[in-house]
Amino acid sequence: MAEHGCPLEEAPLPAEVRESLAELELELSEGDITQKGYEKKRAKLLARYMPLVAGADLPPSMGNRLPGPSQTTAMLKPKSRPATSRDERFRSDVHTEAVQAALARYKEKKMPMPSKRRSVLAHTSAGASTPPDLQSAPPDVTTGLLGHLHCERPQVASVRGVPRGPSTRVLETADGVPVNSRVSSKIQQLLNTLKRPKRPPLKEFFVDDFEELLEVQQPDPSQPKPEGSQTVVLKGEPLSAGTPWPPSLLAALRHWGVTQPKAPCLTALDTAGKAVCTLTYGKLWSRSLKLAYTLLNKLTSRNEPLLKPGDRVALVFPNSDPVMFMVAFYGCLLAELVPVPIEVPLTRKDAGSQQVGFLLGSCGVTLALTTDACQKGLPKAQTGEVVAFKGWPPLSWLVIDGKHLTKPPKDWHPAALDAGVGTAYIEYKTSKDGSTVGITVSHASLLAQCRALTQACGYSEAETVTNVLDFKRDAGLWHGVLTSVMNRLHVVSIPYALMKVNPLSWIQKVCFYKAQAALVKSRDMHWSLLAQRGQRDVSLSSLRMLLVADGANPWSISSCDAFLNVFQSRGLRPEVICPCASSPEALTVALRRPPDLGGPPAQKAVLSMSGLSYGVIRVDTEEKLSVLTVQDVGQVMPGASMCVVKLEGTPYLCKADEVGEICVDSRATATAYYGLLGITRNVFETMPVTAAGVPVSDRPFTRTGLLGFIGPDSLVFVVGKLDGLMVVGVRRHNADDVVATALAVEPMKFVYRGRIAVFSVTVLHDDRIVLVAEQRPDASEEDSFQWMSRVLQAIDSIHQVGVYCLALVPANTLPKAPLGGIHISETRQRFLEGTLHPCNVLMCPHTCVTNLPRPRQKQPEVGPASMVVGNLVSGKRIAQASGRELAHMEDSDQARKFLFLADVLQWRAHTTPDHPLFLLLNAKGTVTSTATCVQLHKRAERVAAVLMEKGRLRVGDHVALVYPPGVDLIAAFYGCLYCGCVPVTVRPPHPQNLGTTLPTVRMIVEVSKSACVLTTQAITRLLRSKEAAAAVDIRTWPTILDTDDVPKKRVASIFRPASPDVLAYLDFSVSTTGILAGVKMSHAATSALCRSIKLQCELYPSRQVAICLDPYCGLGLALWCLCSVYSGHQSVLVPPLELESNVALWLSAVSQYKARVTFCSYSVMEMCTKGLGTQTATLRMKGVNLSCVRTCMVVAEERPRIALTQSFSKLFKDLGLPARAVSTTFGCRVNVAICLQGTAGPDPTTVYVDMRALRHDRVRLVERGSPHSLPLMESGKILPGVKVIIAHTETKGPLGDSHLGEIWVSSPHNATGYYTVYGEEALHADHFSARLSFGDSQTIWARTGYLGFLRRTELTDASGEPHDALYVVGSLDETLELRGMRYHPIDIETSVIRAHRSIAECAVFTWTNLLVVVVELDGLEQEALDLVALVTNVVLEEHYLVVGVVVLVDPGVIPINSRGEKQRMHLRDGFLADQLDPIYVAYNM
């Protein structure tokens, strides 16, 4: 505080000012006053006391640090009082100062702030839209600085924020992509944070398969180790023998009910604090008897009594009705039934309600007792019955208000008054994983617990006790319902609802009833502190014991200190505060004795947080930042023994300075988990042993689930709970401690009612810490982000551990536990299922995940010669395969005749003029145009005449054909060949999206050096329109000719090329990596291509083939324009665009024309699978029958998509589609048709490979279903005349069978080279003319740019030879080089799509070594942020990669080309130019 120069230290503030401040803070925490109003009022209050800082407001960190009056107790002086209305946990103020100091170090560091679409902001914070200035605020990726947005989606423009300021400069990245400066500066920030030094590198590994070894964290040699002597078993004082104890609790009840019937037993209050009902001991006895009689005698089913002794019965009572609960509890005990108290289920989906249902089912509960009022409030079905709650067994509900019970006859007496045997009651407990177990407490334990508590607390007859605790379980039940009856106490029960309205009510009742004891939790003391202003007349002098039930909570000390600080002046004696520790399994574990019983003085320990994380106790000075101050929880209970054992493995006794689990041996512990023998043995029958392995006792101990140690004076200290333990690496952290640190960071400003949940999730074999907080409704985006960054820094500094994920949810949305608090396991479950719906998320995997495998180091390559020798030695053949030999297969005379397609068309027009070649269908399935051989020939002649006369073109000029799919395009193609021009097919621009599609058309026309554009009238108008002028410079178009009304003219002579090696056509296509590449096809290659396809698919003039592909490039162009003319078969043309208005068009056409062979693309197959999945019955009724299909081929330049082809086959099996018909083709730029299934030969085979081996460029075959297995389907059969070899990507040597390498191809229909503008053919020369560096170095190969492998199968092909299968793994250009390994985007994308049902599509790419994942959200925007953690988790788990940026976008944003392939580079450019309009961008730190 010194650096603020604040004079507050010398002059303590008057009490009334401090009270006013506390009142103000309460108002702020409850949301009754704005932050601004709070600061204004606060400044006013403090103005008189701050002469030195005139006019200056207190820094925010000061607000929580007003010093209190000095204190003269045995305890260390508390620094001040806490100021947050946290439900369960409170920060110590020492801790607050530590946090502030830690944060001061981090002031300079900035982190990239996640960005969010405005519409998402709307539901989280109203006033968050003020634009921060660009200098100070982290940049924002969502607002469009570059003016052009996606033209397809004009409706989003209205949501955008205004551009912030004039800066629109664009940077270039290393590879020349223009980048929006804000995106890059943001990613630069992220990279800078990543360059910060990590935790020290780790040495050893544990093996997670031979491929990748996950680092396993090794103990730090300098870490503290326990050095103390071995502890011994600690024994409590014996149970006093002289006292005449009643033989059972029920005997005590009858004794008081008969001898003291008027004595008050229990007073219940309403929410106004008025006593609504006082139950006397006489009434309790008589009502319990009535209930027991009714339960045993009046409930029947089929004339049999419904219940028999030992049956379990559910008790469903609200927290406001202790009287009826007590009657029900004792009524069950008298009837020898076992009560199972549970919470009132308010809705069908209460947090944890389903688990409670499972517990009731496993306990065999069939009856639930409740009150009239409660039964009326339960949700009802239409019949008026209580609804069946999810997961609950069928229950009968019995209302136990007086009028529903029967008075027992005079001679009826309950059997169970002696010390009962067996189970008395079952208490439920929710464990860390969310499951609910029942803990059975026997009659003997019950009695022993009451005796031990009576002795330890010094209860005497007729004392008055106020109880704020839940009377249905834990200490509230043991003290307020059981021990109270043993000692005829009068309990004043204060309901939770009253505490919420008036936090002081319990103090007022202590004062009013002159209570000797009060049972509270830390939070009750804390709440009353904030509300005690103006209560001058309260006095706590009557209290001899203030029992703090959650004294084991590490942060209860600050509540006790602060409470004493304020109420000591109101008669509270320091020594009456009695913290205790309890657990559901061991009941009360330890309790500080009240002063009149004499016990050692209270102690506190200041422990090093770092030491604790290694399980070692190191006392620290309070000046250090990372310390934990804990108070003792008193001594062992009377009649009990206690020891501390190691957490893992054999329960050895701990050393004196070692933290372990506290174990108790006592008659007063619970006995078992109901129905769970295995875990019962582990917990209730532990045998602690000494270091020598000797058992310390012949009686078993019960594990308490509390972590702690035994301090001086045999006092017990608890430092955490097993349930809240998070083991990160080799260090242990306590969830409560992390919560307290987070709460010390400006809690009043930001966290709503202090609601924070901390838990761990296992990702990549280690616990990862997740922190979820509710943010106040008025918090702005900037506030949230700043708070999150500061919390991360504070936790990192104080606990030396990274937080994996920090999520903020809107106020009041976390699942709640019954009495306030947060339902941790339910919150964790929602986080893992993706149903938490946060409004802000910050993931920090880079700093937390330190056990990733080491990046792969590139080994010095083995030379190609050694490779070959190695393969020979190991008996592996060289991976080489070929299709059937062309020479043997046909008359070579015909091949010579068919060398030029123009000649073939003329020959067909002459010999079979009326044979139909083409049928074009529209969306309705009607034929819109046809072409016979002679019609096509004549139309081609007319086009040739136009080109020569109007276009004045010379032989060899290039002509761009910009046509929609149809016969006009084919006629124009042959028209070009007839006059010696070179056709270039170009997809026409989209009229609704000229901005993005027209520049591509312009670019192809320009790059191909087209001298003329041939097109239709409609497209001519479009190319010259105003809209087109906005996208491109329309003055630069070459001559545009339309061919709609061509005069009937013939050309003088049809051009015949001098040699077959002359260029026939150019094939332009944009690759998925965004590269526009045109390849040259000679006449020889064109006819060889047609001949191979004809032979493979057995195409003759009598055949019909249905084609649903785009006709602009690759195999689609060959099938539309070339093959029919060459082979003479009839092609039924179905433009894929028409499927948008009639999905069934293609399948109907296949059925109608009985096509044996059909071709489609993945996008067509996907449309059919999604659009017709539910309509197969309708299609069958319409007569669609696919049994005619021999082969249906998907034309692709990628790895076969097995999931899609399989689901297509399964779906349309009902329509007769043969199971083996569907296959895929494989082609690429250098050769458009390498593989094609065809009609003969074996079916495509599928193998399973290890995905991790693929990353290392290795193929390892595994069994189907084995971990990390990836199915790969063969890409059809190798075409006739095609030879394939697998070559090493770097050494260019041949590889062996089943080795991964680049696919090289040699065939007469290879393209002859790239056609590019700048004549850069030299760069790519080796794509078309590569030679092996070893072995057969004469053959000239073309490099496909695809990774794959060949594998000889057991099958034989048509010629009887062994069949070689080619498996394509993926494009080399697309692969991501990360951590020294090669990843295929599709594998990461498949994992991501599986992560959550709302993920419609996904694409990944890298930028500056960061992995960016773009996810299309098919759901509500509120659910978007759930995906950030799920995506990060799945990529870490399955691929060992840390995701750098997660971008959430709307469906349809990921661009897809006509073949159905994702355009990842276009997407990347769109992301960098800020054109995606993302819903949210999360930068994982």
Side-chain angles (χ1 to χ4, degrees), residues 1372-1392:
L1372 264 166
D1373 286 346
E1374 288 260 275
T1375 55
L1376 313 173
E1377 288 275 342
L1378 292 163
R1379 300 180 58 78
M1381 289 172 277
R1382 198 194 301 274
Y1383 287 87
H1384 295 271
I1386 184 73
D1387 297 328
I1388 300 174
E1389 289 158 2
T1390 307
S1391 299
V1392 169

Side-chain angles (χ1 to χ4, degrees), residues 941-1137:
E941 281 196 313
R942 289 181 212 157
V943 171
V946 167
L947 283 171
M948 293 170 83
E949 289 171 19
K950 281 198 187 170
R952 296 194 181 82
L953 296 186
R954 296 187 303 278
V955 169
D957 276 350
H958 299 176
V959 178
L961 311 182
V962 186
Y963 286 91
V967 180
D968 284 349
L969 172 68
I970 302 166
F973 187 91
Y974 285 96
C976 290
L977 297 186
Y978 276 14
C979 67
C981 292
V982 178
V984 184
T985 47
V986 184
R987 178 193 307 278
H990 196 294
Q992 267 78 53
N993 189 11
L994 283 177
T996 26
T997 56
L998 193 59
T1000 311
V1001 176
R1002 177 86 196 92
M1003 192 191 246
I1004 296 176
V1005 170
E1006 195 176 304
V1007 170
S1008 65
K1009 298 186 183 161
S1010 294
C1012 167
V1013 175
L1014 273 189
T1015 183
T1016 62
Q1017 280 179 1
I1019 294 175
T1020 306
R1021 282 199 296 275
L1022 190 64
L1023 296 181
R1024 293 190 167 136
S1025 65
K1026 272 188 195 162
E1027 291 80 3
V1032 299
D1033 182 358
I1034 55 173
R1035 292 168 304 182
T1036 56
W1037 287 119
T1039 316
I1040 300 178
L1041 300 176
D1042 78 70
T1043 55
D1044 284 4
D1045 308 313
V1046 212
K1048 293 189 175 176
K1049 279 193 177 174
R1050 293 179 58 177
V1051 277
S1053 66
I1054 290 173
F1055 174 79
R1056 194 167 199 276
S1059 115
D1061 298 327
V1062 169
L1063 185 58
Y1065 69 93
L1066 289 179
D1067 177 345
F1068 271 90
S1069 156
V1070 178
S1071 73
T1072 51
T1073 51
I1075 295 165
L1076 175 69
V1079 291
K1080 300 185 281 197
M1081 287 294 282
S1082 66
H1083 286 279
T1086 306
S1087 64
L1089 171 66
C1090 293
R1091 184 168 41 149
S1092 284
I1093 294 172
K1094 175 192 171 183
L1095 295 170
Q1096 192 83 328
C1097 298
E1098 299 175 0
L1099 300 175
Y1100 310 113
S1102 56
R1103 286 278 153 83
Q1104 285 185 312
V1105 175
I1107 300 170
C1108 189
L1109 290 167
D1110 275 328
Y1112 301 107
C1113 62
L1115 194 50
L1117 168 59
L1119 291 166
W1120 268 69
C1121 298
L1122 313 175
C1123 292
S1124 266
V1125 170
Y1126 187 92
S1127 309
H1129 62 270
Q1130 185 183 9
S1131 293
V1132 180
L1133 305 174
V1134 182
L1137 213 60

